[in-house]
Amino acid sequence: QVQLVESGGGTVQAGGSLRLSCAASGNIRSRNTMGWYRRAPGKSRDLVAALTSDGSTNYADSVKGRFTISRDNAGNTESLQMNSLKPEDTAVYYCNLNQREFGVNRDYWGQGTQVTVSS
């Protein structure tokens, strides 16, 4: 089992910045992908950014150049720096860890944290 605890989030005006963090604990494999997803009201949960244990990144087109995902050296804490925030970034943001266990890819999720961007 893996536990994910998120922190950060809140309310900010358009153009502002926020930083989300996620601490992972438990049975974490050396090879994994940590990422952030978000769900806006009435929409599906979509990928925002992901970072593999070997350093590869993937960003949604809508956040490229504004958001940066990172991990600490131990690889158990990830952060999402969000700059130039827009009202359309308003959503519940979820931390995710994906790793292979016994031949099956498994996803773990944080509890979610609200980000609200006012215009």
Side-chain angles (χ1 to χ4, degrees):
Q1 286 289 326
V2 172
Q3 295 77 42
L4 301 175
V5 179
E6 300 153 352
S7 60
T11 300
V12 66
Q13 288 189 330
S17 298
L18 283 174
R19 186 177 182 87
L20 306 181
S21 294
C22 176
S25 61
N27 186 19
I28 301 168
R29 304 297 172 97
S30 59
R31 296 187 66 181
N32 59 63
T33 299
M34 293 190 75
W36 292 92
Y37 288 71
R38 67 186 180 188
R39 186 194 300 272
K43 297 188 177 181
S44 60
R45 184 162 58 184
D46 296 325
L47 175 69
V48 177
L51 175 58
T52 67
S53 49
D54 63 3
S56 299
T57 58
N58 183 29
Y59 290 95
D61 288 343
S62 60
V63 307
K64 285 181 180 177
R66 300 188 298 123
F67 291 11
T68 302
I69 190 170
S70 61
R71 297 173 71 155
D72 67 351
N73 289 337
N76 294 344
T77 299
E78 66 162 350
S79 297
L80 184 68
Q81 179 66 39
M82 305 184 292
N83 298 328
S84 302
L85 282 161
K86 304 175 181 180
E88 50 263 43
D89 294 318
T90 295
V92 178
Y93 284 69
Y94 297 90
C95 175
N96 169 268
L97 185 147
N98 178 277
Q99 63 185 18
R100 200 158 181 85
E101 297 179 359
F102 306 107
V104 178
N105 285 328
R106 183 163 181 180
D107 283 300
Y108 294 92
W109 297 94
Q111 77 279 9
T113 186
Q114 178 70 45
V115 171
T116 302
V117 184
S118 60
S119 58

